Amino acid sequence: MPRFPILPGLLALGLALPASAHTVAFGGIRADTTAPVEVTAESLRVNQDTGEAVFTGNVLIGQGEMRLSAESVTVVYAEGGQSRIRSLNATGGVTLVSGPDAAEAAEAAYDVEKGTVVLTGDAIVTRGESVLAGDRIEVSLKDGTASVQGGVRTVLQPGAN
């Protein structure tokens, strides 16, 4: 998937906030964390001993209205078998979309039980024309808040939903 063209413009404007952590109510990147998780990919490798499944090649994961795509995703199951997913770890061109909101990063770790996604590596979240970027962005899928750390950059549009 193509990268969002907003980040280069944001950096060119020189807009930056201090590199400390910031928490904002950023919007609607949310998911029904109780909904089933559906995964499609080109290949799958399962390790019964570790309780992990590795999907590779054009991986697409859906849960409710949320979609996550990446080149590789490791699914870690909760102890006791493959009946409950504990976490998803995505690498390679990660894109997360939920309604009008989107996020991109080099890697993403989705803790299904906590309902959080941690994006790292040129992480960026957009909602309409509003942009939030940083080295590490943690998004709560339950309430739509985001916590940003390291090289925080933002463009917030007044009156934007």
Side-chain angles (χ1 to χ4, degrees):
M1 286 192 168
R3 301 280 301 176
F4 289 100
I6 298 170
L7 184 57
L10 176 65
L11 296 176
L13 292 173
L15 297 174
L17 296 175
S20 61
H22 295 276
T23 300
V24 295
F26 197 71
I29 292 190
R30 299 178 189 202
D32 177 357
T33 56
T34 64
V37 176
E38 181 180 340
V39 182
T40 60
E42 293 177 9
S43 66
L44 166 64
R45 186 180 74 244
V46 178
N47 185 329
Q48 297 292 344
D49 294 333
T50 63
E52 294 181 352
V54 180
F55 294 88
T56 55
N58 298 316
V59 181
L60 177 62
I61 297 171
Q63 183 178 37
E65 293 184 20
M66 184 185 72
R67 299 290 176 266
L68 184 144
S69 64
E71 278 304 308
S72 176
V73 175
T74 301
V75 177
V76 180
Y77 292 96
E79 289 186 33
Q82 297 178 352
S83 60
R84 198 172 88 239
I85 296 173
R86 185 174 62 203
S87 65
L88 303 167
N89 300 301
T91 59
V94 178
T95 301
L96 173 68
V97 178
S98 178
D101 298 328
E104 288 190 350
E107 297 182 4
Y110 175 18
D111 186 321
V112 176
E113 295 173 345
K114 290 182 182 177
T116 59
V117 176
V118 176
L119 305 158
T120 55
D122 294 324
I124 180 170
V125 176
T126 63
R127 176 167 194 167
E129 294 180 21
S130 295
V131 179
L132 187 59
D135 297 332
R136 181 183 188 277
I137 300 175
E138 182 172 343
V139 178
S140 169
L141 300 176
K142 293 180 180 178
D143 62 16
T145 60
S147 174
V148 186
Q149 298 175 337
V152 178
R153 301 168 303 278
T154 188
V155 172
L156 300 174
Q157 299 298 326
N161 291 334

